[in-house]
Amino acid sequence: EDPSLERHFKGHRDAVTSVDFSPNKKQLASGSMDSYLMIWSMKPQMRAYRFVGHKDAVLCVHFSPSGHLVASGSRDKTVRLWITSAKGESTVFKAHTATVRSVHFSSDGQSLVTASDDKTVKVWTVHRQKFLFSLSQHINWVRCARFSPDGRLIVSASDDKTVKLWDKTSRECIHSFCEHGGFVNHVDFHPSGNCIAAGSTDSTVKLWDVRMNRLLQHYQGNSMVNSLSFHPSGNYLVTASNDSTLKILDLLEGRLLYTLHGHQGPATCVAFSRDGDLFASGGSDEQVMVWKTNFDAADYGDAVKPQKYGSSVDGTHGTGSEMDCGIHHKKTKTQDSDRTHEQQEEETSLTNTLEHIMGQLDVLTQTVSILEQRLTLTEDKLKECLENQQKIIQNKTN
């Protein structure tokens, strides 16, 4: 069955720049050139939250793994961490000396990576937003930065036409991928962590193996690629392009699977939900759209096939070698036969309890940070008042 448009959200007053689902799929965050962050409820008839705080365009949004926090980056050079409640409270910190293009939480929820027009990538602690280190070998704006699933690597994409791979521990650039002929707008890790995909103004999507540092696949489109997202199975990739279309690529077959039309004007961003059942897109038409994936991405063959050569209907074609990113196949019943139903239920219950605790801890620590920031602002204002009073007294004495 083909992907289908499920719903669309209207509320932004300018182009949508970024979308991200909460891990439980109950909420969808979007950023816009209108300087607002919107949190949309996936429940029908539920009101959306408009978070006000940024002084300029919001260019990137990302939910924390617990789903209780949302990070946003802006043209006002700041990053905000929001608690996703009706109050819309946040802490703010000046992350860069220029526009912040990208924010991304590590999978353990402890770190945040940001990318900016100041040509740097920076890593921060989520708690208290403490600066850890900066990566600064790009020679032009950095559009996007992502942690690998295991948190050991960072990948960044830049207007210097390179994609750089970094070791988080040594803080060194391991490799630069220079095959793109235009600015690289977006990059992300395959769910296995073994390969990356990048989309560029040169209308191509390229996939590289980060273990061998070699090009795996190359897709030539007809329009600038603004954003992309891997399906959690690792077998599909969705892209958003300037020609207003979303394209779904079959990475096992190495071909274009679907071209979706919905946006009026450039499709600026796209993201799969954590389970892959849905994907969301945003456009310059100020709309946020939610699509149902429909195709059963879990049922695929036993072997990863080499990419096929040749053009598809709309001129998109793939070239390259075998797509081998360590894809995890669907478990068979025989593999699970030795595990009892009770054990599975206990594990699920324990996992849910731990996730709940981690989520509440996120909220608690962020609330403390918000209070601390307010206290600092109050102290600063008090100091300013006292200084003004002293000046007045001095003037009177003189």
Side-chain angles (χ1 to χ4, degrees):
E1 200 179 342
D2 296 350
S4 58
L5 181 61
E6 285 291 288
R7 359 183 8 183
H8 65 274
F9 296 110
K10 290 182 179 178
H12 281 299
R13 297 162 188 172
D14 206 335
V16 179
T17 57
S18 181
V19 287
D20 191 43
F21 282 99
S22 64
N24 63 11
K25 232 169 35 177
K26 288 181 180 178
Q27 293 178 313
L28 175 67
S30 61
S32 166
M33 297 298 286
D34 64 11
S35 82
Y36 298 124
L37 168 73
M38 296 289 288
I39 304 288
W40 311 92
S41 174
M42 295 304 290
K43 287 181 182 176
Q45 274 73 55
M46 284 288 285
R47 289 184 67 183
Y49 301 143
R50 177 182 278 128
F51 288 175
V52 182
H54 283 295
K55 303 289 190 292
D56 208 332
V58 177
L59 300 179
C60 46
V61 296
H62 192 231
F63 268 99
S64 67
S66 74
H68 290 281
L69 302 177
V70 174
S72 60
S74 168
R75 207 156 58 183
D76 65 13
K77 306 172 189 176
T78 70
V79 168
R80 283 183 178 264
L81 281 185
W82 309 81
I83 296 174
T84 57
S85 63
K87 287 182 180 178
E89 293 182 309
S90 68
T91 52
V92 60
F93 62 102
K94 191 182 176 186
H96 291 270
T97 57
T99 297
V100 182
R101 296 267 171 197
S102 175
V103 288
H104 189 247
F105 284 97
S106 57
S107 56
D108 63 4
Q110 300 301 302
S111 304
L112 191 72
V113 64
T114 60
S116 167
D117 287 1
D118 66 10
K119 306 174 190 175
T120 69
V121 174
K122 292 183 180 180
V123 178
W124 314 79
T125 63
V126 171
H127 180 45
R128 295 176 190 267
Q129 295 90 61
K130 182 186 168 189
F131 172 73
L132 292 176
F133 59 89
S134 184
L135 306 171
S136 50
Q137 285 188 30
H138 281 294
I139 56 171
N140 208 333
W141 295 358
V142 188
R143 295 268 174 183
C144 186
R146 294 286 184 266
F147 284 111
S148 61
D150 63 9
R152 293 179 184 179
L153 301 172
I154 293 168
V155 69
S156 58
S158 169
D159 280 8
D160 64 12
K161 303 180 184 179
T162 71
V163 171
K164 290 187 185 292
L165 192 66
W166 312 81
D167 184 290
K168 185 173 177 277
T169 309
S170 69
R171 305 174 189 180
E172 290 178 357
C173 180
I174 303 167
H175 192 77
S176 290
F177 300 94
C178 307
E179 285 90 340
H180 276 296
F183 301 159
V184 191
N185 287 327
H186 200 100
V187 69
D188 205 359
F189 275 95
H190 185 275
S192 68
N194 293 332
C195 69
I196 54 172
S200 167
T201 58
D202 65 8
S203 306
T204 69
V205 171
K206 298 182 191 294
L207 285 90
W208 293 277
D209 186 322
V210 298
R211 299 162 297 182
M212 308 294 290
N213 297 329
R214 66 187 177 101
L215 185 68
L216 287 173
Q217 292 186 12
H218 163 95
Y219 297 87
Q220 179 67 56
N222 303 315
S223 182
M224 181 165 88
V225 181
N226 294 314
S227 178
L228 51 80
S229 178
F230 278 104
H231 187 274
S233 69
N235 296 332
Y236 303 93
L237 188 77
V238 64
T239 66
S241 298
N242 254 23
D243 62 2
S244 83
T245 66
L246 305 177
K247 290 185 174 69
I248 294 173
L249 307 173
D250 182 334
L251 302 179
L252 295 185
E253 296 287 339
R255 65 186 177 94
L256 175 69
L257 202 57
Y258 300 105
T259 299
L260 305 174
H261 299 267
H263 290 285
Q264 304 297 314
T268 51
C269 50
V270 68
F272 273 111
S273 61
R274 304 299 197 268
D275 63 3
D277 288 349
L278 302 171
F279 57 97
S281 62
S284 61
D285 57 5
E286 305 173 8
Q287 291 198 71
V288 174
M289 297 185 177
V290 177
W291 307 75
K292 196 170 182 185
T293 304
N294 286 332
F295 56 85
D296 190 355
D299 293 333
Y300 42 84
D302 293 332
V304 179
K305 298 173 185 176
Q307 185 177 23
K308 289 180 180 177
Y309 291 82
S311 296
S312 65
V313 245
D314 74 341
T316 303
H317 66 275
T319 60
S321 57
E322 195 169 320
M323 177 68 187
D324 175 17
C325 286
I327 291 169
H328 300 288
H329 298 286
K330 198 177 182 182
K331 286 184 180 178
T332 58
K333 288 176 184 176
T334 49
Q335 284 175 299
D336 284 335
S337 59
D338 57 334
R339 296 181 63 202
T340 65
H341 184 64
E342 288 80 8
Q343 281 176 319
Q344 287 175 336
E345 280 189 341
E346 278 177 23
E347 283 177 18
T348 305
S349 175
L350 185 62
T351 303
N352 290 340
T353 306
L354 284 169
E355 283 176 358
H356 178 73
I357 291 167
M358 288 301 291
Q360 292 306 306
L361 196 61
D362 273 354
V363 173
L364 187 63
T365 53
Q366 184 58 11
T367 305
V368 169
S369 294
I370 289 166
L371 291 171
E372 283 176 345
Q373 201 163 79
R374 281 183 187 167
L375 192 63
T376 305
L377 286 169
T378 308
E379 284 174 354
D380 289 345
K381 281 178 183 176
L382 279 169
K383 282 177 186 175
E384 197 179 324
C385 285
L386 283 168
E387 283 170 6
N388 288 337
Q389 286 292 329
Q390 284 171 349
K391 282 176 185 175
I392 290 165
I393 292 164
Q394 280 173 357
N395 288 335
K396 280 181 180 178
T397 310
N398 295 336

